[in-house]
Amino acid sequence: MPAAFKTLPEPPDLPEPLPEPSVADLRLEEVMGALSSSLRLTIVRKLLLESEEFDHSCHWFGLDRPKSSLTHHFKALREAGVTRQRQYGLERRSQVRVDDLNARFPGLLDLVAAWTPQP
Amino acid sequence: MPAAFKTLPEPPDLPEPLPEPSVADLRLEEVMGALSSSLRLTIVRKLLLESEEFDHSCHWFGLDRPKSSLTHHFKALREAGVTRQRQYGLERRSQVRVDDLNARFPGLLDLVAAWTPQP
DNA sequence: CGTTCAGTACGACTCCAATCGTACTGGATG
DNA sequence: CATCCAGTACGATTGGAGTCGTACTGAACG
């Protein structure tokens, strides 16, 4: 049974999510591909383990990369169905699609949470 | 708890495995990357579910690709640590490193076994 | 309404993976 | 030893992903 990662309460009046694959369209190849980089594993793991808000703008992650690179990776995660993104004014915030991923790929997120980056 | 995939009895006098990463060196990024293609998911899934021998030469899989392409993919799986390969005379046979993967990434192989290719 | 700022769009560049044809290797077999 | 055959090695090609600079957009805010 996959661990139930803490999902913080949804604020009301959420902006609509950006385009994303439906649960039925999630494909293991795509998800695996999105998680085959240490940068993206870092992003997803941090969301799983350190979220103190419902969702997080990419600034929160403290990643030392140019903005255009971050756009690229957050988009890759969303298009694979790993994360959901919502636009709040200027900010675009991400959360992990915990329920959807646990439903389709039980145990996958546990692997990400247990992952540790290479020193 | 990961499912215990049936591991057939090891014949005696096995040829030495080809070079492969040790259990401690298995990296989730690499394994995910190796499993981010439907062809390679097909290979690993078939080994998990349909093995009627200890290990299998690439001919057994019935993949309709040129030989040099198959070499490429079997090597990718071995170098990521997903499979182990042994040379039997002319044949090079593959098996999934079930125990190693279950130890380091419990549940991962269940995802592969549950995967079904896109029609 | 002008400024600020998060993030995008676009494009250039680089690099690697995938694909596959052809030639080769080296055990197996007679 | 000659042949056969599984699979490799090598190299060419292609496409896609990663990286990032620069210009742009559009909401927020005074």
Side-chain angles (χ1 to χ4, degrees), chain A residues 57-58 67 71 90 92:
Chain A
S57 81
C58 76
K67 294 193 295 178
T71 297
L90 283 181
R92 182 167 291 195

Side-chain angles (χ1 to χ4, degrees), chain B residues 57-58 67-68 71 90-92:
Chain B
S57 80
C58 76
K67 294 191 295 177
S68 49
T71 297
L90 282 181
E91 283 183 355
R92 182 167 291 195

